[in-house]
């Protein structure tokens, strides 16, 4: 299949502008020169069954079950879900609930494993030769391995690989921007595992059936750029490294496609509508391990940083490892942190309980001092418009905030609430320290709750109407049956009345006492 237009869309020497954005202090130097190190196996692993967008996985083990590394312990449910595997060998000591790695800290279904330290593998997934495999076989293997988007979105990767069936795709973009301050895990992965990433990129490109690959890396990652530029093809598909400006939120897939192509993804649409699919560099590495070596997604590289951490580092961590143990591996706290975040400072989630686990989407653990966190004293909005200037989607966050504060959620929806990507640019630029992005998060949650109630009410009405229709149909069928029986009885009576009387019996003709005289 040929795509004569894709070369014109991706010009190596030309950048297209994106609206808004900010330039926060990156602070990547804290960990960027720390090579990836493997963390020892912890004593306990708490593996949530909900580590992805979509339905939570169905548990396949019970308390006291022995498990081996790579064993399937949670099966994906539904078309948008992901498998969960045992990160190492040990014994299941609980299948219950534990605090989520989320600001709410609410308990979620979790499998707790007491590790045995042996790290004994069970049977691995079947390997594929991607050069000979069909796109469907590659996507199925990625789904079997439980791979999700590792840039933080955690969307099941196999679902995106199957977009070839619905869209006319021509380009795979690998997101190596890593625009969040502090985070350097993707940078180090591209420096140290460039060949494996390139192979994973080629495997995904083959599954998507695209004609070219573009690896987009921010200009502040010179060594990663150099490492990835050694590859100009991946599984015989042309590959090109595109250096993009250092700007937040360059890692947003829609904005990355906009700066590369000049084309804007419509609201509520996918980049696939433009023929482009975006995957993360760490996801490509996980695909390489799954397809070539039969390894499911059991661990990930996490940046541990912030000035409250004694030894910032990039650590390969088993899924389910408690955050507190990862920090202890980095020699603990240099001082008591003012804020503990999972992810980056712009879009990361604050947590209160350091025992929550690392999950598939955990790109960073940040322990920030008071000097690194913004002031918390909120003042009234002065309508300066800085938030609107910074918004990469072109919204007016101060107007959204005003409508949300007055409980006019429908009005907020009409001016673009659901188009917000919650990047945090508005909160970052606000001179009044108004928690704009948190307010928008709240409003989106309320809208989702209201939509859920509305859907439930509509479903209840639909079920009630269906029940009423069934009852009416049954009553009508009963009436028709009774009418039919009545008609049959009437017809029988009429036949009986119209029939001639039967002749008298022969014995009744003889006289009693013998023959007549």
């Amino acid at each position: 299949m040929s795509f004569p237009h894709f070369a014109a869309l991706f010009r190596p020497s030309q950048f297209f502008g994106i609206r808004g954005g900010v330039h926060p202090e990156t602070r990547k130097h804290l960990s960027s020169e720390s090579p990836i190190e493997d963390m020892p196996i912890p004593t306990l692993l708490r593996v949530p069954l909900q580590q992805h967008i979509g339905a939570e996985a169905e548990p396949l083990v019970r308390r006291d079950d022995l498990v081996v590394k790579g064993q399937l312990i949670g099966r994906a449910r539904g078309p948008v879900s992901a498998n969960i595997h045992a990160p190492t060998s040990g014994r299941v000591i609980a299948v219950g609930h534990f605090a989520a790695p989320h600001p709410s800290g609410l308990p979620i279904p979790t499998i707790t494993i007491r590790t045995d330290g042996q790290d004994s593998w069970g049977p691995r997934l079947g390997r594929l030769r991607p050069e000979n495999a069909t796109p469907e076989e590659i996507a199925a293997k990625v789904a079997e391995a439980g791979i999700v988007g590792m840039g933080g979105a955690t969307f099941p990767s196999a679902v995106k690989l199957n977009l070839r069936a619905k869209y006319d795709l021509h380009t795979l973009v690998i997101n190596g921007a890593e625009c969040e301050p502090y985070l350097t895990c993707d940078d180090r992965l591209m420096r140290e595992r460039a060949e494996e990433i390139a192979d994973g990129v080629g495997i995904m490109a083959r599954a998507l059936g695209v004609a070219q690959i573009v690896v987009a890396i921010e200009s502040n990652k010179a060594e990663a750029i150099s490492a990835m530029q050694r590859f100009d093809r991946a599984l015989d598909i042309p590959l090109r490294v595109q250096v993009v400006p250092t700007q937040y939120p360059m890692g947003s897939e829609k904005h990355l496609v906009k700066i590369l192509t000049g084309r804007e993804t419509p609201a509520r649409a996918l980049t696939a509508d433009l023929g482009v699919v975006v995957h993360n560099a760490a996801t490509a590495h996980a695909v390489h391990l799954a397809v070539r070596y039969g390894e499911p997604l059991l661990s990930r590289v996490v940046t541990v940083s912030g000035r409250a951490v004694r030894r910032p580092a990039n650590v390969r961590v088993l899924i389910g490892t408690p955050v507190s143990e990862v920090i202890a591996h980095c020699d603990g706290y240099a001082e008591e942190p003012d804020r503990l975040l999972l992810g980056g400072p712009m879009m990361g989630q604050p947590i209160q309980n350091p025992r929550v686990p690392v999950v598939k989407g955990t790109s960073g653990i940040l322990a920030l001092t008071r000097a690194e966190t913004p002031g918390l004293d909120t003042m009234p909005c002065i309508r300066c418009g800085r938030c609107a200037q910074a918004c990469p989607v072109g919204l007016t966050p101060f107007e959204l905030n005003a409508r949300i504060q007055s409980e006019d959620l429908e009005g907020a929806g009409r001016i673009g609430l659901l188009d917000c990507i919650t990047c945090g640019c508005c909160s970052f630029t606000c001179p009044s320290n108004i928690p704009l992005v948190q307010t928008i998060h709240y409003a989106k949650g309320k809208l989702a709750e209201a939509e859920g109630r509305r859907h439930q009410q509509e479903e209840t009405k639909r079920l009630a109407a269906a029940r009423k229709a069934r009852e009416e149909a049954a009553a009508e069928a009963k009436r028709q049956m009774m009418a039919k029986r009545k008609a049959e009885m009437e017809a029988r009576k009429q036949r009986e009345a119209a029939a001639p009387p039967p002749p008298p019996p022969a014995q009744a003709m003889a006289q009693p006492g013998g023959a007549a005289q």
Side-chain angles (χ1 to χ4, degrees):
M1 183 180 295
S2 62
F3 299 95
H5 56 287
F6 76 78
L9 291 179
F10 291 84
R11 299 182 177 90
S13 59
Q14 179 178 354
F15 289 118
F16 297 92
I18 59 172
R19 67 166 67 88
V22 293
H23 294 84
E25 185 180 348
T26 65
R27 297 173 181 169
K28 294 179 182 287
H29 65 280
L30 295 174
S31 59
S32 62
E33 300 311 310
S34 299
I36 297 171
E37 56 189 76
D38 291 322
M39 180 177 165
I41 300 171
T43 303
L44 285 180
L45 293 175
R46 293 188 173 93
V47 186
L49 293 170
Q50 180 79 66
Q51 302 184 44
H52 47 266
I53 290 175
E56 71 180 42
E58 174 189 4
L60 300 180
V61 293
R62 294 181 296 179
R63 183 177 177 180
D64 291 330
D65 283 355
L66 295 175
V67 295
V68 290
K69 185 173 183 175
Q71 178 179 333
L72 184 66
I73 59 175
R75 181 187 293 118
R77 279 196 278 207
V80 182
S81 186
N83 286 338
I84 306 292
H85 300 80
T88 188
S89 54
R91 183 184 296 274
V92 175
I93 63 171
V95 180
H97 288 73
F98 193 76
H102 183 270
S104 68
L106 294 173
I108 58 174
T110 302
I111 295 173
T112 303
I113 300 172
R114 186 180 301 281
T115 62
D116 59 14
Q118 301 300 310
D119 205 34
S120 302
W121 272 95
R124 302 200 185 202
L125 309 179
R127 302 183 186 186
L128 286 180
R129 287 186 60 82
E131 298 85 356
N132 304 323
T134 65
E136 292 77 14
E137 288 173 334
I138 294 172
K141 184 60 60 182
V142 170
E144 186 182 5
I147 297 173
V148 302
M150 298 178 70
T154 66
F155 194 81
S157 299
V159 177
K160 293 179 76 172
L161 292 181
N162 282 320
L163 291 176
R164 69 191 179 281
K166 294 178 60 178
Y167 297 92
D168 184 21
L169 304 176
H170 53 75
T171 302
L172 169 62
V173 171
I174 296 301
N175 186 349
E178 198 169 45
C179 59
E180 277 267 15
Y182 292 94
L183 301 187
T184 57
C185 52
D186 286 353
D187 179 19
R188 292 305 314 188
L189 200 59
M190 288 186 287
R191 291 200 218 179
E192 300 179 31
R193 299 286 189 270
E195 184 175 2
E196 297 172 4
I197 291 173
D199 182 64
V201 168
I203 293 170
M204 291 195 292
R206 180 173 177 82
L208 290 166
V210 297
Q212 74 159 356
I213 303 162
V214 178
V215 180
I217 307 176
E218 278 193 341
S219 58
N220 61 355
K221 301 174 180 64
E223 292 188 35
I225 293 168
S226 177
M228 293 302 300
Q229 282 178 335
R230 292 188 289 118
F231 305 95
D232 59 3
R233 302 187 75 81
L235 290 188
D236 288 331
I237 300 171
L239 180 152
R240 180 171 54 78
V241 174
Q242 180 68 64
V243 182
V244 297
T246 300
Q247 180 180 352
Y248 182 85
M250 190 60 67
S252 164
E253 67 172 28
K254 292 184 177 181
H255 294 88
L256 195 57
V257 170
K258 172 67 163 58
I259 202 167
L260 292 173
T261 70
R263 301 179 67 191
E264 189 161 0
T265 307
R268 320 288 167 77
L270 303 175
T271 59
D273 289 297
L274 306 181
V276 182
V277 173
V278 182
H279 276 284
N280 177 263
T283 306
H285 186 254
V287 167
H288 161 79
L289 294 177
V291 173
R292 295 286 188 185
Y293 299 101
E295 293 186 15
L297 181 53
L298 307 178
S299 64
R300 66 155 300 139
V301 180
V302 176
T303 297
V304 185
S305 192
R307 298 194 183 279
V309 175
R310 194 177 302 278
R311 185 177 64 86
N314 295 291
V315 187
R316 191 181 308 279
V317 178
L318 292 178
I319 302 300
T321 301
V323 167
S324 57
E325 295 202 27
V326 182
I327 293 173
H329 173 76
C330 296
D331 299 338
Y333 296 125
E335 60 179 275
E336 191 65 25
D338 182 64
R339 190 173 304 175
L340 192 60
L341 298 175
L342 294 184
M346 301 295 286
M347 295 186 71
Q349 301 289 345
I351 58 170
Q352 304 299 322
N353 183 357
R355 296 192 302 145
V356 299
V358 169
V359 293
K360 295 178 181 180
T362 305
S363 55
I365 299 172
L366 303 185
L368 306 180
T369 63
R370 183 172 294 277
E372 294 174 288
T373 55
L376 299 179
D377 294 333
T378 300
M379 295 179 288
C381 175
I382 59 174
R383 299 184 72 83
C384 63
R386 291 186 187 177
C387 57
Q389 294 171 0
C391 179
V393 185
L395 304 178
T396 52
F398 64 91
E399 287 286 358
L400 286 171
N401 182 65
R403 298 197 184 198
I404 295 167
Q405 295 294 341
S406 61
E407 297 295 328
D408 181 15
L409 298 185
E410 290 187 3
R414 286 194 295 272
I415 62 172
L417 172 63
L418 295 179
D419 294 323
C420 173
I421 62 173
T422 59
C423 64
C425 288
C426 52
S427 296
F428 178 80
T429 59
C430 180
S432 297
N433 292 325
I434 297 173
L436 295 167
V437 71
Q438 289 84 354
T439 302
I440 290 171
H441 267 301
Y442 160 80
K444 282 188 170 185
K446 295 292 285 186
L447 272 185
E449 183 182 338
E451 178 64 20
R453 286 197 302 268
R454 186 186 65 79
H455 176 74
Q456 186 177 18
Q457 290 170 356
E458 289 180 353
E459 186 67 8
T460 301
K461 289 179 182 178
R462 186 188 68 79
L463 293 174
R467 179 180 177 181
K468 183 179 179 181
R470 288 195 304 271
E471 291 174 346
E472 290 177 348
E476 179 62 24
K478 185 176 181 181
R479 284 195 296 269
Q480 291 179 3
M481 182 184 67
M482 295 298 292
K484 182 180 178 181
R485 287 183 179 179
K486 184 176 180 180
E488 290 174 349
M489 292 177 64
E490 290 292 336
R492 187 166 63 248
K493 288 179 180 179
Q494 290 177 5
R495 287 194 303 270
E496 289 173 353
Q507 295 85 349
M509 299 296 294
Q511 294 294 329
Q517 296 185 1

